[in-house]
Amino acid sequence: TLTEEIYSLVPLSTGDYSLEFADLAWSVIRPQAGAIAKQVEARTATALSATPVAADITYAPESPASAFTAARRFLRDNGVPSTARLIAAVGSGVYADLLDAPAGKGFDADGKVKGFTIVESTRIAAGDIVAFIPEAFTLVVRAPANPEGAAYAASVATPIDDKDPRSMSFAVRSVIAFDASLAVDRSLVSALVKVQAM
């Protein structure tokens, strides 16, 4: 159920329009959409970090791959089929250990670790590993409906990572409306967002 709207609201003066912005979409709407993307990432990391701890899996920095072998077994013993894609979100410390580990104790030749696709995240604790399959979490991001009375309103796609053209994108609503009480335009970028463990 989508009940929460994340938004960024920025006032734009006549001076901003006349002197500051050569390209409104690049100078204003894109950074606002980036702020929404950061919130989506933070909420996703919070949901990942709430995954129950498997106390019987131990982690050894000198041989980090062994924890992934144990996680793989844990998932399989809990009914995850051998055809399922395995993903592990890891903190910066675990990722560093994987990079520095000797052959056979870190990354495999295919860039995975014991069959897990590794995703480094600075939003989870440095020593954390969250092992899961794609179906374990749902992320929904929807652009709200455009208001009838706005001079400009549109649904626009924004990438999660500006520097990586392969990163997934999602839709946000962009509204620009004049606020007569302050004599400024207001740029509103928003999205309905929900992250949930399944």
Side-chain angles (χ1 to χ4, degrees):
T1 303
L2 293 173
T3 58
E4 187 170 3
E5 183 176 359
I6 298 174
Y7 69 91
S8 170
L9 182 62
V10 176
L12 305 171
S13 69
T14 302
D16 290 334
Y17 270 118
S18 303
L19 305 171
E20 297 293 326
F21 304 137
D23 182 345
L24 179 68
W26 183 263
S27 301
V28 179
I29 297 172
R30 191 174 184 89
Q32 286 184 280
I36 302 293
K38 285 186 173 75
Q39 279 297 313
V40 170
E41 183 183 352
R43 289 163 192 257
T44 302
T46 298
L48 288 171
S49 295
T51 301
V53 174
D56 56 336
I57 297 176
T58 56
Y59 179 74
E62 64 281 356
S63 181
S66 59
F68 292 88
T69 302
R72 183 186 184 99
R73 172 190 265 171
F74 183 90
L75 291 172
R76 297 289 188 240
D77 290 349
N78 280 279
V80 171
S82 61
T83 56
R85 183 172 165 234
L86 302 176
I87 304 168
V90 302
S92 58
V94 173
Y95 198 83
D97 292 341
L98 289 167
L99 289 173
D100 292 341
K105 296 187 178 185
F107 281 103
D108 299 330
D110 62 359
K112 296 184 177 185
V113 177
K114 305 301 180 187
F116 284 91
T117 298
I118 305 300
V119 179
E120 182 184 17
S121 174
T122 57
R123 293 194 179 267
I124 64 174
D128 280 0
I129 300 170
V130 183
F132 60 98
I133 60 173
E135 296 81 6
F137 295 93
T138 294
L139 165 62
V140 179
V141 182
R142 295 283 185 268
N146 293 331
E148 296 283 334
Y152 167 81
S155 177
V156 296
T158 179
I160 286 186
D161 184 352
D162 284 341
K163 295 175 185 71
D164 183 0
R166 297 168 300 151
S167 70
M168 68 178 188
S169 65
F170 57 87
V172 296
R173 176 181 66 181
S174 174
V175 177
I176 297 178
F178 188 71
D179 184 343
S181 66
L182 298 173
V184 296
D185 273 321
R186 289 179 177 251
S187 175
L188 170 70
V189 174
S190 66
L192 297 167
V193 177
K194 181 71 173 183
V195 184
Q196 183 171 318
M198 302 304 288

